[in-house]
Each structure stands twice: as structure tokens, then as C-alpha cells.
Amino acid sequence: MKYELYIDVFFLLNFFMDTLLLFLIRKILKCTATHARLLIGGAFGAGMTCMITVMPMIPVWMKLFAGYGVISICMIKISFPGMHFKSVCRAAVYLYGFAFLLGGVLEFLSVHIPFFRTYRIGILGICMTGIIIYAIVCTVYEKQKQKGSCLFPVKLVWRDKTFVLKALADTGNSLYEPVSGKPVSIVEKKVLEAVFAGGKPEIFRAIPFHSIGTSHGIIEGYEITELIVYEENEKIRIEKPMVGSFDGKLSTKSAYQMILHPTLIKWQEERI
């Protein structure tokens, strides 16, 4: 039995699906990658898949090994060049998982849904199904993320001194320094005293705030050298951030010593 393969359609379909999967990986693993890199990675995966598909002399087992192993790993490395080996392996697992999920949904539609079974799902249907699955996975992930822990390891840097602590990313923290407009993270006073041992920063601000039980209040704000937030697969470095001093404990069980301003997670001045 002979089949006709339209290589241009085959390439475009693989390119779309590979790129969609790479966008999902970036979302779930919170990796840094530009749209251009993801597109290049998707194009590489689609191109190599087309190449090994049309080569008649390559054994089937070798095509499977190349398609599910070498090409996928290279595609991830091209899209996320700074990713370590362990993270690459994890990304590959997600890539295969999302691919099987998409294949399973398409198979279900073609078998159990009369419309798709009668008229065939077609290229447009495959693309639309992929986009819908992408939207569903992203929505479920965001909801689970909101329910999960928002604690991050954080390093405070003041001149040549460093202090590592736990920080809570609180969406309720809307405190900004009124002069510079910088977001303000709250740190326990004892922690700042340990960081500033020997002298405080020259830049000091009196930052007004209001909270439950306090209609008007003032906290001491300081501009430190650097703040590094350690996320799951990368670090966010913020130069000259503003921190406010809180006289007391932020967590009764000492689970965290800092309330991180939520915009600092999205404020990616420099990714490492």
C-alpha cells in the first residue's frame, strides 16, 4: 500500500505542534525563552522529523530513537540554551507527556465524535484542538499554582554581605516607594539589622502605608545592593531594590521572614 505525503503540510503541522509544546514547557517550567527561540526550536524539530521520515534507508527503530530522543532533546536545548541537563530531562518528560495527551485527545475525537469521524478532523481541526488543550492546561496550571505554596528562597545583598531567607510572594502587597515608584518588599527588622551590621544604606525613605487596624503608618525603607529570587529553574536578579523594615515577626511559625512584592516575580530585569 502506498501513501502520498505532502511534505510541506507535514512540516507545517509538525512545526505548529512542536512550537505549541515548547510554549507549554516554558509556561509550566517557568523557563526563560524568547518567542524567536521557541519558533526556531519548533522549526528544527519539524525539519528534522521531515528529513528522517523521507529517508527510506533508515531503519524504523532508528527513526523512533531519533524522533523521540535526539531530536526532542536538541529541540529543547535550542529553545532553552541555559537549561541544565536535569532540567532538560524534565522538560523532555513534559514534552512527551503533552504530545501523548494531544494524540490521545485527537484519537478520541476521531473515534467517538460523529462529526470528526465523518468529515475527518483535518489540519485545521488538529491545530484548533492543540490550541484548546494548550489553553486548558495553562488554566489548570494557574489555578493549581494559586493554591500551592508561594514561598521562595531569597538572597539579600548589601555591599559584600549576603543573607539568605524565605520570602512569601503576597499579591496583597501593593506597597510602593512614593519618590522612585519602586515596589517595596517587607523584611523583618532583625534580618535587616544583621544585613546592615556596621552601617545602614545611605538611601533611606519613610514609606507611608495602611493596613487593617492601621489607617496611616510609616515604615523605614532602604535601597539595598541586590535581591535575588530563586525560582524553580532559574533566578531573578533585581538591582537596587527597596525593602521596608517590619518590627516584629511576619510569620508566627517563622515560615518566612520577608513579604516579597508580587511584581518582582514578573519584573525580570536580568535572568540568570
Side-chain angles (χ1 to χ4, degrees), residues 22 38 61 90 115-116 158 183 191 215 219 225 234 239 243:
L22 290 172
L38 298 181
W61 68 268
R90 186 181 180 189
F115 176 82
F116 289 99
W158 163 241
V191 173
S215 57
I219 63 171
T225 306
E234 56 191 335
E239 300 287 345
V243 295

Side-chain angles (χ1 to χ4, degrees), residues 200-215:
K200 292 184 178 180
E202 297 178 359
I203 299 180
F204 165 80
R205 295 284 187 268
I207 303 173
F209 75 97
H210 65 274
S211 62
I212 298 175
T214 306
S215 57

Side-chain angles (χ1 to χ4, degrees), residues 145-195:
K145 183 180 176 182
Q146 292 175 3
K147 294 179 181 179
S149 174
C150 294
L151 293 178
F152 296 92
V154 170
K155 180 187 287 186
L156 300 179
V157 181
W158 163 241
R159 294 178 178 172
D160 58 344
K161 298 178 182 178
T162 62
F163 195 96
V164 178
L165 67 160
K166 286 285 186 179
L168 173 71
D170 185 3
T171 56
N173 179 12
S174 57
L175 193 61
Y176 289 88
E177 196 278 307
V179 177
S180 64
K182 288 184 176 182
V184 180
S185 299
I186 309 300
V187 184
E188 292 180 358
K189 186 176 181 178
K190 289 184 177 180
V191 173
L192 288 180
E193 287 176 348
V195 175

Side-chain angles (χ1 to χ4, degrees), residues 54-71:
V54 298
M55 289 183 174
M57 303 302 295
I58 300 179
V60 175
W61 68 268
M62 191 176 293
K63 290 183 178 182
L64 292 174
F65 174 76
Y68 289 103
V70 179
I71 295 176

Side-chain angles (χ1 to χ4, degrees), residues 86 105 109 149 203 210 264 267 269:
K86 184 177 179 181
V105 172
L109 292 175
S149 174
I203 299 180
H210 65 274
L264 296 182
W267 182 18
E269 287 192 350

